[in-house]
Amino acid sequence: MASLKKIDIEKSINFAKENKLIDELNKVYESVPNGNCTGCGNCCMESVGINLIEFINIYHYLSLDEDLRKKCLSKVIDYYLLEYVKKSPCPFKDENNRCLIYEVRPLNCRIYGHWTKEDYNSNLENISNRNKEYASLIKDKYKFEINNDVVNFKINYCESFKPNDRYLRKDERLNFADSMMVLDSKIYSKGIMNIEFKDRGIVEYFIESLLYEDTAYNIKIRVSKDESVRKCALDRLKTIVL
């Protein structure tokens, strides 16, 4: 059983459509300033944080193309279960550095290049420190070490991206985040989806739509510690849930 039940996700999608939340989401996206991106794909290396409204929007987008849905979710499973073993790119990026969900890509992807260098590097340092702390916690609790390439990986500031006007101030970026939270709250307040309110990456959202959260994490720990079961576990899981 999945943490995020399909019937609840579909109810949330219908609610969002009926109450024009998707229209409001698109207005937020459209208000993000334009800029010049080279399309190198160097920034597409994480399970980027998303909001609930974005998850159901992307979920619906994938539901319209079964081949694309299976392709993306297969890569999501690989990314999640092998996250402690090797550093992989975003599962929604294809082999040509193209975004498979570009039309509905999350806010964090859209505003990535709009940070000032000072703000970005300050945030990057905080993330780096948290990664090292988390690796230490995993080692103490589960008696194995997360791959150093994963722990020490950084997406460096993009010097190539140039905003058409100027970089966004921190308060402006937070205003975008606040707009997303308002949309989320309209879904949460109706009790449509029984979901714990917490930060999630795009990978975590989709994993919880396939499996119960604790079950998924237990499998992740097992395949991280035991290389001999990895391929079998991944293949079997994909056969069951896809």
Side-chain angles (χ1 to χ4, degrees):
M1 182 176 69
S3 291
L4 306 182
K5 297 180 178 63
K6 182 178 180 180
I7 188 172
D8 292 341
I9 297 172
E10 291 175 344
K11 286 180 180 177
S12 297
I13 292 170
N14 290 333
F15 175 81
K17 287 182 177 180
E18 291 168 1
N19 291 274
K20 301 189 182 304
L21 301 189
I22 301 301
D23 291 342
E24 292 183 43
L25 172 64
N26 287 328
K27 287 179 182 178
V28 174
Y29 287 160
E30 290 165 5
S31 67
V32 175
N34 293 322
N36 181 26
C37 173
T38 64
C40 67
N42 290 338
C43 60
C44 307
M45 292 296 296
E46 298 287 356
S47 171
V48 64
I50 66 172
N51 287 76
L52 176 59
I53 185 66
E54 295 184 294
F55 164 66
I56 65 172
N57 190 42
I58 297 168
Y59 185 100
H60 175 64
Y61 179 83
L62 292 178
S63 73
L64 302 177
D65 186 330
E66 183 63 11
D67 289 340
L68 179 61
R69 187 189 76 86
K70 286 186 175 181
K71 178 178 181 177
C72 288
L73 293 187
S74 176
K75 294 172 70 176
V76 161
I77 291 171
D78 287 341
Y79 183 102
Y80 178 81
L81 293 184
L82 301 177
E83 187 175 13
Y84 296 159
V85 178
K86 65 176 183 177
K87 184 59 198 168
S88 299
C90 171
F92 296 93
K93 181 172 77 168
D94 72 9
E95 59 277 4
N96 297 312
N97 281 337
R98 295 177 301 184
C99 179
L100 295 168
I101 55 169
Y102 187 80
E103 291 84 354
V104 291
R105 67 196 185 282
L107 175 67
N108 277 329
C109 299
R110 296 169 189 261
I111 67 171
Y112 167 74
H114 292 280
W115 291 57
T116 65
K117 190 171 186 178
E118 181 181 5
D119 282 352
Y120 184 87
N121 286 337
S122 175
N123 185 61
L124 183 61
E125 183 177 357
N126 291 334
I127 292 172
S128 179
N129 290 335
R130 289 201 301 269
N131 286 346
K132 291 173 183 176
E133 291 171 1
Y134 186 72
S136 178
L137 183 152
I138 291 294
K139 182 179 179 180
D140 291 343
K141 186 171 183 178
Y142 297 107
K143 311 306 178 187
F144 76 93
E145 295 188 10
I146 298 176
N147 187 302
N148 280 332
D149 290 341
V150 176
V151 177
N152 297 317
F153 183 81
K154 296 180 181 179
I155 301 176
N156 291 319
Y157 182 76
C158 182
E159 302 283 359
S160 300
F161 180 90
K162 302 299 179 186
N164 285 359
D165 184 15
R166 59 177 176 79
Y167 293 102
L168 295 175
R169 301 188 310 271
K170 183 176 181 178
D171 65 294
E172 291 174 312
R173 298 196 312 273
L174 290 176
N175 282 339
F176 280 114
D178 287 346
S179 297
M180 306 301 279
M181 292 296 294
V182 169
L183 296 178
D184 278 4
S185 68
K186 293 180 180 180
I187 300 174
Y188 281 114
S189 65
K190 294 298 180 180
I192 301 171
M193 189 179 294
N194 182 20
I195 177 175
E196 181 185 353
F197 181 78
K198 66 177 182 180
D199 289 338
R200 285 178 177 82
I202 189 170
V203 166
E204 287 72 31
Y205 264 111
F206 277 96
I207 284 294
E208 289 186 39
S209 74
L210 298 172
L211 292 167
Y212 185 63
E213 181 182 6
D214 289 346
T215 300
Y217 194 73
N218 287 336
I219 297 172
K220 181 176 188 173
I221 294 299
R222 175 72 188 280
V223 301
S224 297
K225 296 177 71 172
D226 189 350
E227 184 177 359
S228 67
V229 303
R230 282 176 197 162
K231 186 178 186 306
C232 178
L234 265 67
D235 290 345
R236 184 177 181 185
L237 182 58
K238 290 177 185 180
T239 300
I240 294 171
V241 302
L242 295 183

